[in-house]
Amino acid sequence: MSRSSAPGESTGGLPHAPRYSAADLAQALGTDPPTAEQRAVVEFDLSPAVVVAGAGSGKTETMASRVIWLIANGYVRPEEILGLTFTRKAAHELSARLATKLEQLRGTGLWRPGGEAREDAFDLPTVSTYHAYAGRLVAEHGLRLGVEPDSQLLSEAACWQLAHDVVAAYDGDMSGTEKAESTVVRAVLDLAGELGEHLVPPEDALSWLERLADRVAALPGRDGGRPLTAGRDLATALREQALVYPLVQRYRAAKAARSALDFGDQMALAARLARDVGAVAAGERARYRAVLLDEFQDTSEAQMVLMSSLFAGLDLPITAVGDPHQSIYGWRGASASTLSRFPDVFAAGGRAAAVLSLSTSWRNSRSVLAAANVVADDLQAATRIPVRTLSPAPSAGPGLVEVARLVDHVAEAEHVADWVAGHFGPGRTAAVLCRARAQFPVVVDALRRHGLPVEVVGLGGLLDTPEVLDLVAALWATQEPTRGDQVMRLLTGPVCRLGAADVDALWARARELARPVDGAAVGGREHAPVLAEAVEHPPPAGWVGTRGQHLSPEGAERVRRLSGVLRRLRSLTGLALPDLVVETERLLGLDLEVAADPDLHPAWGRAQLDALADVAAGYAGSAERVTLGGFLDWLDAARQHERGLEEADVPELAEV
């Protein structure tokens, strides 16, 4: 494994023979002996390598064992190790595991931290998220690029509010698009983030986009005739995208005026510092002698530039871990190609970085793994870096894969709920994976009918629960009465429960209010019918529409009650946002509604309403200028883009 080298010279080999093997350390620490693949990773020499780690292959334990092996054999000190991953949870898990293993290692007597004088204490490796590490570089060196060290880091809600303000105040020409304001805000944030993650100035991207639009618009049709219709349509779409770039520039200017950064700015600035300021790279190389890069398949171009500018070309143990089949952050500019590029980008001494594998799955049964491998076959054939087929652990059981063919999605949901109910019990959980978010409501309803506690992970959970839909609809009707979809939710849903005849009568009333009567209409002019106007000015007793429509007595009473609720809410819009959400819940009687629902257990009946109140409080606490309209637009965009919110945690019940 080791290579000969001159004293003090690093060639990627080992400066001295290891005192302990991976098996020795596993035995000393009381852990399972490593497999051949794990041993190859743990005992790899001091040169760059990429580890393709399949799902459930024990990568965290293996990487922690490699750190222990490097330290126990005296190749690096704990404080010379840098570990980066994506989530705070993963960083905390790795950090805690390393601290425990180092404490155990010291207890075995195989390693003494810092010599005899410091036997009672030792430093720990630095374990952080990629963005937190980038933030530290910007805080320490940002002045080199004109960035103040105390610049405010904007939360997602604060970014949304700032972009919303920019879009609302924009006086430029937007006649080329019919997109809703919230859609434009989301486009501004997405484009700003993508430009930052790819280190591309907006001006350069806009210039390229305009040239491309001109080229495709001029594409000739058949036999060189008039321009191709598809080309003209594509050019129109590209020019519509180009309208967002001036807004992105104003958004960036607004951040600069506030000395504020978002996460994309932080990573882009860190990449520029590493790439353009030699002192930054020199300082980090002197500080760290071993680097672990977790989930590398989800790194963006800016993160690739950051890491390669700091550590590429060095004969040091720089180990990237990832699996191109598990790349999930494409919306943030990430690409699995960063993993396949690692061997060449981090080549050292004329040698490409080695490619190692972890292909034993420790969490799956044999039949489940066989099915997963069949599904992954197409991915494996298209991957540009070798990915081994996952094999079951020796202790894996046979498992069971059941398949059912059912007539529709409702029957499918009922079948799944019945199966889960038959296997659910104290201390047991189950997960239901859906092909699309649109399937969530019917699956959730089926599970709840079987008396099961349900948590929907991801955006669809919170915003698609019935009680939250009603509450948000009331807020929309308060803020923007022209949102007929939200008013219809209130009229036809649990709040009013109007039938088709009553809704038709209200619509006739809305048309009547929109027409001039004796030269005047409500508001002084004719306008398009607005359903909320008929709720605000319900028909008087005995009213009959032009086609004989009329409100039933029960319907009229429910509409008057809703009208009173909306008037009251409009008078309360000066309240703090969380208080307004709670007051809306009370006025609609949603607290009583969920308490009386037989499909909702008391332990989780209020969970989603409380979760929305927490979301509102978080938004109000992090947005620079809090408005109800901005909050509602943010919720709409969050729902559309499958991000930003999660449903409330549901407490596990002792019994069903």
Side-chain angles (χ1 to χ4, degrees):
M1 183 186 301
S2 61
R3 308 184 184 94
S4 60
S5 60
E9 177 183 286
S10 173
T11 63
L14 300 174
H16 56 77
R19 294 189 290 268
Y20 310 109
S21 69
D24 294 335
L25 294 173
Q27 182 178 8
L29 298 179
T31 58
D32 293 333
T35 65
E37 286 183 333
Q38 290 173 328
R39 188 171 64 252
V41 173
V42 172
E43 298 180 350
F44 191 70
D45 62 24
L46 307 187
S47 60
V50 57
V51 180
V52 181
S57 59
K59 65 169 184 173
T60 303
E61 177 65 22
T62 303
M63 301 318 297
S65 297
R66 173 154 174 79
V67 169
I68 297 303
W69 183 83
L70 290 169
I71 293 171
N73 286 295
Y75 297 131
V76 296
R77 298 191 303 274
E79 64 271 23
E80 294 177 326
I81 296 173
L82 171 66
L84 299 179
T85 188
F86 272 99
T87 66
R88 289 189 295 269
K89 179 180 178 182
H92 175 74
E93 179 184 350
L94 179 58
S95 181
R97 191 171 301 200
L98 289 175
T100 300
K101 283 182 173 289
L102 285 172
E103 186 64 41
Q104 292 174 336
L105 183 64
R106 184 178 65 170
T108 65
L110 300 181
W111 170 67
R112 292 183 176 180
E116 297 287 347
R118 297 186 57 202
E119 196 169 342
D120 61 333
F122 57 88
D123 294 320
L124 291 172
T126 298
V127 181
S128 170
T129 65
Y130 286 97
H131 276 93
Y133 178 68
R136 197 261 294 170
L137 290 181
V138 172
E140 292 180 359
H141 303 284
L143 279 175
R144 299 174 185 269
L145 297 178
V147 177
E148 295 293 335
D150 59 348
S151 294
Q152 175 190 6
L153 181 62
L154 299 176
S155 68
E156 185 176 3
C159 290
W160 173 268
Q161 183 65 67
L162 184 57
H164 183 272
D165 290 346
V166 168
V167 171
Y170 185 61
D171 56 358
D173 181 16
M174 294 294 288
S175 58
T177 182
E178 296 180 355
K179 296 291 192 300
E181 185 179 87
S182 61
T183 304
V184 176
V185 173
R186 184 75 263 170
V188 169
L189 291 172
D190 287 345
L191 181 56
E194 291 287 344
L195 291 170
E197 292 287 358
H198 289 86
L199 304 180
V200 177
E203 300 80 9
D204 294 352
L206 177 59
S207 176
W208 180 87
L209 189 66
E210 290 173 337
R211 292 197 304 272
L212 179 62
D214 291 341
R215 288 181 61 187
V216 298
L219 289 175
R222 183 175 298 177
D223 300 326
R226 61 183 182 180
L228 195 65
T229 301
R232 293 201 311 271
D233 293 343
L234 178 57
T236 299
L238 292 173
R239 289 177 179 132
E240 184 177 11
Q241 293 178 29
L243 296 174
V244 180
Y245 282 83
L247 288 164
V248 169
Q249 291 169 315
R250 293 202 181 187
Y251 172 63
R252 295 179 65 168
K255 287 188 294 182
R258 292 163 172 77
S259 296
L261 304 172
D262 59 25
F263 286 107
D265 297 328
Q266 210 174 44
M267 188 57 66
L269 286 168
R272 288 174 55 199
L273 284 167
R275 183 189 63 191
D276 302 336
V277 183
V280 174
E284 295 303 293
R285 291 174 180 179
R287 186 172 184 174
Y288 300 114
R289 304 296 298 168
V291 182
L292 302 178
L293 304 173
D294 193 18
E295 305 287 4
F296 203 73
Q297 80 280 348
D298 284 323
T299 50
S300 66
E301 183 62 24
Q303 288 164 327
M304 183 64 149
V305 170
L306 171 61
M307 292 297 110
S308 61
S309 298
L310 294 179
F311 302 115
L314 304 179
D315 243 342
L316 293 176
I318 302 161
T319 309
V321 187
D323 179 2
H325 294 176
Q326 298 184 66
S327 183
I328 62 174
Y329 290 123
W331 51 263
R332 199 196 46 217
S335 170
S337 66
T338 55
L339 190 70
S340 60
R341 289 162 51 200
F342 184 94
D344 294 328
V345 173
F346 285 82
R351 305 182 312 276
V355 179
L356 308 175
S357 295
L358 294 175
S359 61
T360 299
S361 179
W362 299 93
R363 72 167 67 130
N364 295 304
S365 62
R366 296 177 182 276
S367 57
V368 170
L369 198 57
N373 283 331
V374 171
V375 173
D377 273 348
D378 291 342
L379 289 173
Q380 195 160 356
T383 302
R384 288 180 290 176
I385 192 168
V387 180
R388 293 184 182 176
T389 300
L390 286 173
S391 57
S395 58
L400 178 65
V401 177
E402 296 183 16
V403 179
R405 175 176 290 181
L406 302 156
V407 295
D408 56 28
H409 66 290
V410 177
E412 180 184 56
E414 189 63 28
H415 178 83
V416 169
D418 187 62
W419 187 95
V420 173
H423 293 77
F424 188 83
R428 303 189 71 180
T429 60
V432 180
L433 305 182
C434 296
R435 289 181 295 274
R437 188 171 63 85
Q439 292 179 287
F440 286 5
V442 67
V443 173
V444 169
D445 288 345
L447 291 169
R448 284 177 171 169
R449 282 196 301 272
H450 283 74
L452 297 169
V454 181
E455 175 190 355
V456 184
V457 178
L459 173 64
L462 178 60
L463 296 182
D464 284 340
T465 52
E467 58 270 31
V468 171
L469 282 170
D470 289 337
L471 197 155
V472 172
L475 292 174
W476 266 117
T478 301
Q479 169 68 22
E480 191 174 325
T482 55
R483 283 292 297 264
D485 57 333
Q486 304 293 345
V487 177
M488 278 293 290
R489 168 75 195 185
L490 295 173
L491 292 173
T492 61
V495 174
C496 284
R497 292 187 172 90
L498 293 190
D502 283 337
V503 172
D504 185 36
L506 273 182
W507 186 239
R509 172 65 171 169
R511 291 197 300 270
E512 179 182 273
L513 292 171
R515 290 195 303 268
V517 179
D518 296 330
V522 174
R525 61 185 176 82
E526 185 174 4
H527 56 80
V530 177
L531 193 56
E533 200 167 66
V535 175
E536 181 72 19
H537 305 281
W543 175 89
V544 178
T546 56
R547 292 188 290 108
Q549 304 99 324
H550 64 278
L551 272 177
S552 67
E554 297 85 354
E557 175 59 30
R558 293 170 186 173
V559 170
R560 282 193 292 271
R561 186 165 60 247
L562 176 60
S563 178
V565 168
L566 295 179
R567 281 197 300 271
R568 176 62 176 159
L569 286 175
R570 292 188 187 107
S571 73
L572 296 175
T573 52
L575 287 176
L577 185 60
D579 295 337
L580 181 60
V581 168
V582 172
E583 189 64 17
T584 304
E585 172 199 323
R586 188 189 66 80
L587 289 171
L588 291 176
L590 293 175
D591 49 349
L592 300 177
E593 186 79 27
V594 297
D597 191 334
D599 292 332
L600 293 179
H601 190 284
W604 73 84
R606 281 199 50 82
Q608 313 317 325
L609 293 174
D610 291 340
L612 184 65
D614 289 341
V615 168
Y619 180 89
S622 58
E624 184 174 317
R625 189 176 64 83
V626 181
T627 65
L628 177 58
F631 176 63
L632 292 173
D633 279 343
W634 182 60
L635 291 183
D636 260 8
R639 176 187 285 112
Q640 294 167 13
H641 290 262
E642 303 272 347
R643 309 174 37 197
L645 300 172
E646 291 187 358
E647 190 173 11
D649 290 333
V650 175
E652 187 173 325
L653 303 182
E655 58 184 59
V656 180

